[in-house]
Structure formats: C-alpha cells, structure tokens
Amino acid sequence: MSAAASDLAVEQAHEQAQAGSALKALKEHGIPTDKPLICVDLDDVLSQTNRVVAEWHNDTYGSDMKLSDFYYYYYWKNPYWGTPEETFRKVEEFYKTDRLDNAPPIPGALEGAQELKKQGFALVVVTARQRREMERSMAWLEKHFPNTFETMICTGQSQETLADEGEVLTKLSKAEVCAKLGAKLMIDDSLENALKCARATPPVPVLLLGDYAWNQREAKFASMQDEVSFAEKLEREGGREFWKDDNVVIPEGQSPVRVKNWEEIVRWVEQNIKV
C-alpha cells in the first residue's frame, strides 16, 4: 500500500469511527432505545417537494413542467432542466425562495405517521437535504407534523457533526444510517435509495412510496461531467423514449416493496413488523 493509500485508509477509518460515534450519540440524545425505529424520507414522502419545484420552474422559466415529467430522481436527466450545470444553478435559485417552506404535506402522511407512532414506533426523518436547509426543514416538519418525529438526520453532507438541537449531519448513505440505528424499516420515494437499502448487507426492509415517474426507473451514469441535457440526449436518440430503457420491475414479494399511499404503509407495517 502506498503512503497516499495508507493515509486515505486511515482517514476513512477515522470518518467511520466518527460516524458511529455521532449516531450512537443520537440514540443517547433523543431517540428511544426501547422502541422499534422507522426511518422516513422527507421530500415527496412527507412534503410535496417536486410539485412546488415544478410550479416554481414554470413560473420562473415559462415551462410546462408536470410531475409526470420527472422521469428520473436526478433533475438534470429530466425535460426542461438543461445541463447538470444549468440544473445546479436553477436549484440554487429555487432554494433562495420560500417555496420549500410553503410546500404542502403529502395527503395522509400526518395521519399515517401518527398511527405508526401510536402503535409504538419511534420515527426519524432521514433526508438528503443539505446542511443549510436543516433549520427551515425542521421548522416545516414541526409545523405540519407536530410531536410526531424524534429528530431529523441529514445525509447530504461533506462533513459530519452532531447539532445542538439533536439533528445529525452525516456522510453515510440512508442504508448505512438505517443499519447504524438498527431501523426496522425505511420509507422512501427514490428507487435508487430503496435499492441501496434492499441490497445492503444485511438488507434493510424498505417501502417505495408513490406511483411517481421518477421511481419507475434507476438512473445510471458514470460521471456527471459526461452528462448532457435531456433535450440533447433526446435528439441523439432520434426522439425515442430512451428513459424507458431504465425501467425497473420489482418482482412481487421482493424488496423494495411498492406502496401507493400512507394507508398502505400503515397496513404493511401492521402485517409485517411486530412492536
């Protein structure tokens, strides 16, 4: 092993140790250890995020974006967004507005989450949102889901810290967070995240929520630098519906399990997880 590789290995081991310590601290500061834990995604599981994103894009750029146009989880792979660079710029513009703060909750999510809590589960939000969005995300959560979730964990960070208010910022994937916390279940709308949970060792049970266009297929790319806009790729493909090549069929009885709404989530939990 080279000196550089050795240094990298030491750094990675240090980061992993920090991650374990932070999540252990989380369990000691807010999450009940005597209750089975369910991790819940925020965007498009609790909040109608993509709906308000599309509305903002239409108002700002005069587009006709609909939820059905979100073919992929990654915005730059969808119509209207442009190249990855253009997409990132637009997302920055969106975050400067108050649209995210005013996003409506997913119908039935409050009732479903409260029912799971009533049944004896501890609920934790696990989101890929960035550090800078934590305060407003917590405010939104407390407004629409009061006294429902124990805390919020953010996975979209470059550095891990344990926040004063019990929020955790971590480099770990959602599958790794679930494993570290010993979660009984992950609820997500992203096929990519759901597959990572299902393919983990050991696998994390996961429910894939919603009949969304973006969770019908898995986005595959080697590098964002090689990615082009949807319009350019459509032209290269001669106008054919190339995105359907990435459709994923999940065999019945295998994970992730698709559920249409929060009523089905509650029903599945009642039938498959003992409190």
Side-chain angles (χ1 to χ4, degrees):
M1 179 183 293
S2 67
S6 178
D7 290 343
L8 177 60
V10 171
E11 180 180 354
Q12 290 174 335
H14 178 62
E15 290 174 355
Q16 291 170 357
Q18 286 184 319
S21 298
L23 291 174
K24 181 179 180 181
L26 175 65
K27 295 178 73 173
E28 294 173 350
H29 295 84
I31 298 181
T33 57
D34 59 342
K35 295 182 179 181
L37 178 66
I38 295 178
C39 294
V40 184
D41 181 34
L42 177 56
D43 296 311
D44 294 295
V45 173
L46 300 177
S47 166
Q48 295 187 54
T49 303
N50 277 350
R51 168 185 160 181
V52 297
V53 167
E55 291 172 351
W56 168 83
H57 195 284
N58 293 338
D59 292 342
T60 305
Y61 292 96
S63 56
D64 187 28
M65 185 184 295
K66 301 177 289 293
L67 273 184
S68 58
D69 293 319
F70 287 75
Y71 298 140
Y72 291 95
Y73 175 71
Y74 299 102
Y75 287 174
W76 76 80
K77 296 180 74 68
N78 298 321
Y80 303 109
W81 285 97
T83 64
E85 292 76 13
E86 291 170 329
T87 299
F88 297 149
R89 175 180 56 78
K90 289 180 178 180
V91 170
E92 289 293 316
E93 293 177 10
F94 171 77
Y95 275 127
K96 291 178 181 178
T97 73
D98 63 355
R99 301 283 185 126
L100 197 63
D101 309 310
N102 295 317
I106 294 290
L110 174 61
E111 295 80 4
Q114 288 182 335
E115 177 60 28
L116 293 180
K117 184 174 182 178
K118 180 181 178 181
Q119 291 181 14
F121 292 95
L123 306 179
V124 172
V125 170
V126 180
T127 175
R129 289 190 184 183
Q130 298 182 16
R131 169 69 177 89
R132 63 188 180 186
E133 308 304 329
M134 289 297 292
E135 183 176 351
R136 67 195 296 194
S137 299
M138 288 294 292
W140 184 93
L141 190 68
E142 291 166 0
K143 175 182 178 181
H144 294 284
F145 294 83
N147 304 314
T148 305
F149 291 90
E150 304 295 337
T151 189
M152 179 182 293
I153 296 175
C154 180
T155 66
Q157 305 306 313
S158 59
Q159 185 175 5
E160 177 191 330
T161 60
L162 182 61
D164 293 338
E165 292 78 17
E167 302 154 6
V168 164
L169 314 174
T170 175
K171 294 179 180 180
L172 301 178
S173 69
K174 289 184 178 181
E176 291 169 326
V177 169
C178 289
K180 290 286 185 180
L181 292 177
K184 299 296 184 181
L185 179 69
M186 176 74 207
I187 303 171
D188 210 308
D189 69 299
S190 162
L191 178 62
E192 286 79 4
N193 288 329
L195 289 175
K196 286 180 181 178
C197 289
R199 294 167 179 169
T201 305
V204 177
V206 56
L207 297 182
L208 184 59
L209 175 64
D211 189 24
Y212 298 123
W214 64 84
N215 68 23
Q216 304 304 310
R217 56 193 56 87
E218 184 178 11
K220 300 175 182 178
F221 58 93
S223 170
M224 282 192 298
Q225 284 71 26
D226 300 328
E227 291 291 296
V228 297
S229 69
F230 176 88
E232 182 175 343
K233 186 166 184 179
L234 185 64
E235 183 177 357
R236 290 182 182 180
E237 295 287 341
R240 76 178 188 90
E241 297 178 331
F242 62 86
W243 53 93
K244 293 185 177 180
D245 295 344
D246 294 325
N247 284 9
V248 174
V249 177
I250 303 171
E252 186 174 353
Q254 292 190 16
S255 185
V257 176
R258 290 190 179 275
V259 288
K260 296 179 181 178
N261 50 48
W262 270 89
E263 288 184 2
E264 290 192 3
I265 289 175
V266 173
R267 188 179 308 120
W268 188 93
V269 171
E270 290 174 339
Q271 295 173 352
N272 292 275
I273 303 179
K274 293 183 179 180
V275 180

